[in-house]
Amino acid sequence: MCGIIGYIGGKKTTDVLLEGLYALEYRGYDSAGVAICDNKDIEIIKSVGRVSLLEEKINKESKIKSNYGIAHTRWATNGEANLTNAHPHKIGKVTLVHNGIIENSDLLKEKLIKEGYKFNSDTDSEVVAALLDKYLKDNDVLKAINLLIKDLKGSYALGIMIDNDNKLYALRKDSPLLLGIGEKENFLASDITAIIKHTNKYILLEPKEIAVLEEDKYEIFKDGNKIEKEVLISDSKGIDNSKNGYSHHMMKEIMEEPIVLKRLIDRFSDEKERKNLDLSNYKEIDIVACGSAMYAGLVGQNLFEEYAGIKTTVYPASEYRYKKKIYNQKTLVILVSQSGETADTIAAMREAIELNVDTLAIVNNPDSTIAREAGKIILTNAGVEIAVATTKAYILQVCVFAMMAFTTGKNKGLIKEDFSLFNEVPNKLKLVLEKQDEYKELAKKIYKKESCFFIGRGIDYALCMEGSLKLKEVSYLHSEAYQAGELKHGTISLVEEGMPVICIISDKELKDKSISNLKETEARGSLGIIVTTEDLDDFDNYLKIVVPSSSKYTDSMLIVPALQLLSYYVALNRGCDIDKPRNLAKSVTVE
Ligand code: M6R
């Protein structure tokens, strides 16, 4: 989603800003822009589309030599993705970039229009610029910003320049923003990866704090007083933008799955480490997350209830945060997030913490808000994911759930097998990934279709949800996931001649039931496709994907990668922008 970088120092400002924007590209955006200043004039250059287009424009149009500036990648929220709505925005003396959503911007805009302000864009961000400009008329900068903070409702991270002032200002609420500290240069950024090439020292800004950056010093103020803050050191290696010879990050990241999975399983093969996975103290679990992370949670729910004897409910974070919570003394809230910056998941986590319930986060980004704030964390350590569609991070989330259910069930005396059964999964996963030709062939049979279904029961339904999401997000082929037995209660009316219905079968007990449901769709003309494990495969007359058998705790980790590859090849055949699907962002930092 939107990204911010700001720089003040001796280097060529546009170089630093562009590098930062390139590093933020993976988050998803639809326009980009910079504002630079030479201590006198401010020059704003924006473009719709990729940062490379902005770079071309800067090379052609930029006239000033600057030592400070701010830059932004925008993922449209208020107002369409066009040049006028792209950031930075300038009104009066104020130039700014903004991440987040100002919820009372319509009201503020109305008042400002009455006071004579004119607006060019449809954005809420321009309203912030106008409001600050208004307060600057009678106040010094810090007072004006404090008045601004009082008026704004919603979420924001702001990087601000004021005419003839030669400083950068930064403030935030609910959207992340940090201050990077260098030698005779300082930075601001929404994500450490934007500046890690220059410095690993940073300070996290908290709501109501205002950072003032100059070339050789920085100051932070809260409620009008200067405060000292801890300087943190990041061990982020930055974004490895290389594709390692693959044509897409998505493929590269899928192919990394066996390695990162092995690393995770090896870590928890140590009994001491495994204690962190034991949830036997809890009677009830709420799993809260968004998108694929929530679907990993659905797998977790099935495993917890089946093998660890813990009642588990899965909620989308956007619903959970506004629902009445019913906790007992032994409830655990598990948050799941690759980025650790998903706005709804953060808000749900903070609510749970405030209500004094135990929280545990399964999170990939160690520098993220969720990793910092959750009661306990389990890092998946999948490494950075660049493709918008999550693949390796999802598999590791599922693996953590499987290991948790297994460890808890074992400690409760419900499971006889040994943890070592996890060790064989990475090698079996390699076999799944080797069958590229089969996925390509199947993709050829599907890619021209208009719509398709994924059906399954129990844990297989959870896998259907992820398979279906992956397919639609990267290939734009309409797809629905359904509990196999539920289809005939209405939705089967959508089944048409030739429509692919992909039936997932890993649960032996439910195999015959799911097959009957698949047959019901075939009787109405569907193209039945089966995804199953070797031990259950007796499907001679079907198009099918067969993965190696492993165990009821680990089958999911072999089935979903096959579906990820199928989606990849369908998207490739349909000519889609696989790593950056339309309308999507990697890190969803607004509600
Ligand atoms: O960073 P998070 O795991 O919190 O992100 C949650 C969802 O936005 C994410 O899983 C999304 O659904 C992906 N595009 C799925 O591939």
Side-chain angles (χ1 to χ4, degrees):
M1 239 164 210
C2 302
I4 289 178
I5 170 157
Y7 176 70
I8 184 157
K11 294 182 181 135
K12 189 175 172 198
T13 305
T14 45
D15 285 354
V16 178
L17 295 180
L18 280 167
E19 270 166 19
L21 291 184
Y22 278 121
L24 292 171
E25 270 197 304
Y26 77 100
R27 295 163 64 107
Y29 68 101
D30 30 49
S31 60
V34 299
I36 51 172
C37 181
D38 63 359
N39 299 336
K40 199 160 96 344
D41 296 316
I42 288 186
E43 181 181 78
I44 297 179
I45 300 179
K46 313 197 250 191
S47 77
V48 177
R50 294 287 150 90
V51 173
S52 53
L53 295 175
L54 178 70
E55 183 172 10
E56 277 171 30
K57 246 179 144 180
I58 290 175
N59 290 340
K60 269 195 218 139
E61 295 172 18
S62 181
K63 290 193 180 64
I64 66 176
K65 271 202 174 151
S66 136
N67 70 332
Y68 74 107
I70 48 180
H72 191 255
T73 45
R74 173 174 188 257
W75 186 84
T77 52
N78 283 30
E80 64 180 270
N82 60 26
L83 207 58
T84 323
N85 290 334
H87 298 212
H89 291 285
K90 179 164 175 33
I91 293 237
K93 290 172 119 191
V94 178
T95 306
L96 60 74
V97 289
H98 166 221
N99 287 358
I101 294 181
I102 304 300
E103 286 163 6
N104 58 340
S105 69
D106 285 351
L107 212 72
L108 294 169
K109 190 169 184 174
E110 232 173 82
K111 281 191 198 160
L112 288 161
I113 289 174
K114 281 189 191 137
E115 291 170 32
Y117 278 96
K118 289 196 171 51
F119 294 90
N120 298 312
S121 76
D122 305 316
T123 65
D124 47 349
S125 316
E126 206 185 9
V127 177
V128 181
L131 191 58
L132 182 57
D133 181 68
K134 171 185 145 173
Y135 286 136
L136 279 171
K137 296 202 161 113
D138 300 316
N139 300 283
D140 65 31
V141 182
L142 283 180
K143 264 199 199 137
I145 293 181
N146 275 315
L147 290 169
L148 178 79
I149 290 173
K150 284 199 182 114
D151 282 356
L152 296 183
K153 293 209 169 77
S155 59
Y156 52 84
L158 293 162
I160 302 173
M161 302 198 296
I162 314 277
D163 284 3
N164 308 315
D165 176 79
N166 303 333
K167 290 174 194 154
L168 288 179
Y169 297 87
L171 63 149
R172 68 162 279 251
K173 178 179 161 276
D174 294 342
S175 299
L177 195 62
L178 54 88
L179 180 63
I181 300 153
E183 289 292 317
K184 293 211 169 150
E185 58 181 3
N186 289 307
F187 305 80
L188 56 101
S190 51
D191 181 332
I192 188 78
T193 49
I195 56 171
I196 197 72
K197 202 174 151 195
H198 303 279
T199 182
N200 63 353
K201 288 191 203 150
Y202 69 103
I203 290 175
L204 289 167
L205 281 183
E206 295 302 332
K208 291 193 175 171
E209 291 175 357
I210 304 167
V212 186
L213 278 66
E214 295 178 61
E215 195 167 307
D216 47 9
K217 71 172 196 193
Y218 63 86
E219 291 177 308
I220 299 170
F221 297 88
K222 186 170 187 185
D223 299 326
N225 303 313
K226 193 170 161 201
I227 58 166
E228 295 302 324
K229 292 208 53 160
E230 187 189 356
V231 176
L232 305 169
I233 306 288
S234 167
D235 52 17
S236 161
K237 306 267 176 302
I239 302 277
D240 172 11
N241 239 320
S242 70
K243 295 189 193 130
N244 253 356
Y246 295 103
S247 26
H248 296 91
H249 287 288
M250 182 178 175
M251 180 57 91
K252 174 185 172 235
E253 287 157 11
I254 293 172
M255 298 312 279
E256 284 169 359
E257 286 172 357
I259 294 178
V260 292
L261 192 62
K262 182 171 183 329
R263 201 163 62 200
L264 184 72
I265 293 169
D266 285 353
R267 192 164 104 220
F268 288 103
S269 295
D270 176 53
E271 259 184 64
K272 236 167 101 197
E273 192 69 25
R274 208 148 68 233
K275 289 206 171 99
N276 297 318
L277 298 174
D278 180 20
L279 307 181
S280 358
N281 275 337
Y282 296 101
K283 281 226 151 58
E284 244 178 65
I285 294 177
D286 286 354
I287 299 176
V288 185
C290 302
S292 292
M294 178 177 65
Y295 297 147
L298 270 187
V299 177
Q301 175 192 37
N302 278 275
L303 296 171
F304 285 163
E305 296 198 332
E306 204 63 40
Y307 308 116
I310 307 180
K311 183 178 180 309
T312 306
T313 317
V314 181
Y315 296 94
S318 52
E319 295 294 322
Y320 192 77
R321 55 189 293 193
Y322 296 113
K323 85 175 252 316
K324 183 153 179 55
K325 322 279 186 300
I326 304 169
Y327 296 134
N328 67 41
Q329 297 254 301
K330 294 199 162 184
T331 303
L332 171 70
V333 175
I334 300 185
L335 296 310
V336 194
S337 178
Q338 185 285 124
S339 63
E341 296 297 353
T342 302
D344 283 317
T345 313
I346 292 175
M349 172 188 70
R350 287 182 178 153
E351 270 230 2
I353 291 173
E354 237 179 81
L355 292 169
N356 251 330
V357 68
D358 285 359
T359 54
L360 181 154
I362 300 171
V363 61
N364 193 39
N365 178 359
D367 288 320
S368 62
T369 307
I370 292 181
R372 277 193 309 273
E373 294 184 17
K376 283 192 181 157
I377 58 168
I378 304 237
L379 288 175
T380 44
N381 285 338
V384 176
E385 252 189 2
I386 293 187
V388 165
T390 182
T391 53
K392 58 176 179 169
Y394 165 90
I395 295 298
L396 296 201
Q397 289 160 357
V398 168
C399 184
V400 171
F401 278 121
M403 293 190 299
M404 273 176 172
F406 187 94
T407 307
T408 308
K410 180 107 185 146
N411 291 349
K412 284 181 164 183
L414 304 171
I415 291 177
K416 298 222 164 33
E417 295 104 311
D418 194 79
F419 184 82
S420 57
L421 65 84
F422 280 87
N423 295 340
E424 60 177 21
V425 185
N427 279 336
K428 291 195 170 172
L429 179 50
K430 277 188 197 156
L431 300 177
V432 174
L433 303 186
E434 276 168 13
K435 293 187 177 177
Q436 302 269 338
D437 288 343
E438 290 184 25
Y439 309 124
K440 278 185 204 162
E441 274 312 302
L442 191 53
K444 275 190 204 151
K445 300 207 163 65
I446 296 179
Y447 83 97
K448 284 190 181 150
K449 306 284 181 183
E450 277 183 6
S451 193
C452 98
F453 272 107
F454 284 76
I455 60 168
R457 288 169 177 251
I459 197 166
D460 292 331
Y461 168 64
L463 308 183
C464 285
M465 293 300 284
E466 179 56 11
S468 173
L469 177 64
K470 209 76 337 179
L471 183 65
K472 61 190 147 198
E473 74 179 327
V474 296
S475 78
Y476 318 146
L477 195 160
H478 173 256
S479 158
E480 282 199 48
Y482 240 77
Q483 287 108 333
E486 200 34 42
L487 206 63
K488 57 182 157 299
H489 296 285
T491 311
I492 201 165
S493 65
L494 296 174
V495 172
E496 286 177 351
E497 192 62 38
M499 176 191 278
V501 175
I502 300 172
C503 181
I504 300 182
I505 305 173
S506 71
D507 186 335
K508 193 173 169 194
E509 307 301 317
L510 298 170
K511 174 180 170 186
D512 293 342
K513 304 278 172 207
S514 295
I515 282 298
S516 302
N517 298 134
L518 180 64
K519 287 196 170 137
E520 288 159 8
T521 71
E522 289 175 298
R524 285 149 185 93
S526 80
L527 172 68
I529 299 169
I530 289 175
V531 182
T532 191
T533 50
E534 253 161 27
D535 56 335
L536 300 184
D537 175 29
D538 52 9
F539 306 105
D540 290 339
N541 299 318
Y542 275 98
L543 289 173
K544 60 184 174 183
I545 294 176
V546 182
V547 304
S549 317
S550 59
S551 75
K552 54 193 179 188
Y553 316 105
T554 55
D555 283 337
S556 328
M557 290 176 247
L558 302 179
I559 287 186
V560 173
L563 301 177
Q564 293 168 346
L565 285 169
L566 179 64
S567 303
Y568 173 88
Y569 285 115
V570 172
L572 200 66
N573 281 318
R574 287 166 73 99
C576 299
D577 191 351
I578 293 181
D579 285 337
K580 296 191 179 83
R582 69 182 179 209
N583 305 337
L584 297 185
K586 183 70 184 163
S587 189
V588 183
T589 50
V590 294
E591 203 178 319

